[in-house]
Amino acid sequence: NAEVALGFQKRVEALFCYSSFVQPSAMELSQLLQAHLASQILRLDILTLPVSTLQVALKAYREEARKVRVSHGQREVGESLHRLGIPHELEHVTADGLFSIDLAIVDRRIALEFDGPWHFTRNTLEPLGHTRLRDRLLSAMGWHVVSIPFFEWGRLHQAEQKDGYVQQRLSE
């Protein structure tokens, strides 16, 4: 809806007219950048950040992307990939510096994301909006995104089960 998009754009511009009084937090800048990226990469025409704001938001977002947290689940998936003889990178940062992919099979442009509990609703285990947006943006950038949900991975106990699961997910 063009009217809603225009209203949103005006509110964002107004926020930054008063930026000397109100300093957006890193989280707010991150959310604005995600809206900007969704608008640009997915061609939604919702928001275009002013250049000065975009630069500040990009800096904050890239700093967050560099704060790598490797989970136990990520390590286990990496071990499975190693046993399967599949070369991969742990916490691969995309060329634009905007995303850190949990496990990347770079030559095949496959992004394996080990999605923990904070990526899903509690009652239905549906992916949350930020997870869906991440996947859509990575897909639009040419990556095939494979999610490894924690609740599926947690049911696997033997190395053979985990390896079979990873192989199956990679073939989908």
Side-chain angles (χ1 to χ4, degrees), residues 3-31:
E3 188 176 322
V4 172
L6 181 61
F8 187 66
Q9 181 75 33
K10 285 183 179 182
R11 281 188 171 79
V12 169
E13 288 170 3
L15 171 69
F16 288 98
C17 284
Y18 302 106
S19 64
S20 60
F21 304 109
V22 178
Q23 292 296 322
S25 69
M27 180 179 283
E28 290 166 332
L29 286 168
S30 175
Q31 290 173 339

Side-chain angles (χ1 to χ4, degrees), residues 144-162:
H144 172 67
V145 181
V146 176
S147 171
I148 309 282
F150 77 99
F151 52 88
E152 289 181 4
W153 189 256
R155 293 184 206 134
L156 308 171
H157 301 290
Q158 308 286 327
E160 298 80 23
Q161 292 175 311
K162 293 176 180 184

Side-chain angles (χ1 to χ4, degrees), residues 71-81 83 153 156 162:
S71 71
H72 179 70
Q74 279 175 263
R75 288 188 200 287
E76 287 186 343
V77 174
E79 290 167 6
S80 186
L81 288 168
R83 284 191 300 272
W153 189 256
L156 308 171
K162 293 176 180 184

Side-chain angles (χ1 to χ4, degrees), residues 73-94:
Q74 279 175 263
R75 288 188 200 287
E76 287 186 343
V77 174
E79 290 167 6
S80 186
L81 288 168
H82 183 73
R83 284 191 300 272
L84 293 167
I86 300 172
H88 63 282
E89 290 182 22
L90 187 64
E91 291 298 341
H92 172 79
V93 177
T94 57

Side-chain angles (χ1 to χ4, degrees), residues 77-130:
V77 174
E79 290 167 6
S80 186
L81 288 168
H82 183 73
R83 284 191 300 272
L84 293 167
I86 300 172
H88 63 282
E89 290 182 22
L90 187 64
E91 291 298 341
H92 172 79
V93 177
T94 57
D96 57 13
L98 295 175
F99 295 94
S100 182
I101 298 169
D102 289 347
L103 299 126
I105 304 171
V106 179
D107 60 338
R108 294 170 50 193
R109 304 254 326 150
I110 297 175
L112 282 125
E113 290 290 337
F114 186 86
D115 291 332
W118 52 92
H119 289 277
F120 300 94
T121 61
R122 288 183 186 198
N123 53 353
T124 64
L125 295 175
E126 289 296 314
L128 292 170
H130 71 277

Side-chain angles (χ1 to χ4, degrees), residues 16 22-34 49 53 56-65 67 69:
F16 288 98
V22 178
Q23 292 296 322
S25 69
M27 180 179 283
E28 290 166 332
L29 286 168
S30 175
Q31 290 173 339
L32 281 171
L33 181 64
Q34 288 178 46
L49 290 176
T53 305
V56 171
L58 279 167
K59 182 178 181 228
Y61 196 81
R62 285 184 175 128
E63 285 173 7
E64 275 303 304
K67 293 180 183 175
R69 295 166 215 95

Side-chain angles (χ1 to χ4, degrees), residues 27-55:
M27 180 179 283
E28 290 166 332
L29 286 168
S30 175
Q31 290 173 339
L32 281 171
L33 181 64
Q34 288 178 46
H36 173 86
L37 291 172
S39 183
Q40 303 303 307
I41 295 171
L42 303 176
R43 294 180 176 86
L44 301 176
D45 296 322
I46 297 170
L47 172 69
T48 302
L49 290 176
V51 173
S52 59
T53 305
L54 179 60
Q55 290 171 340

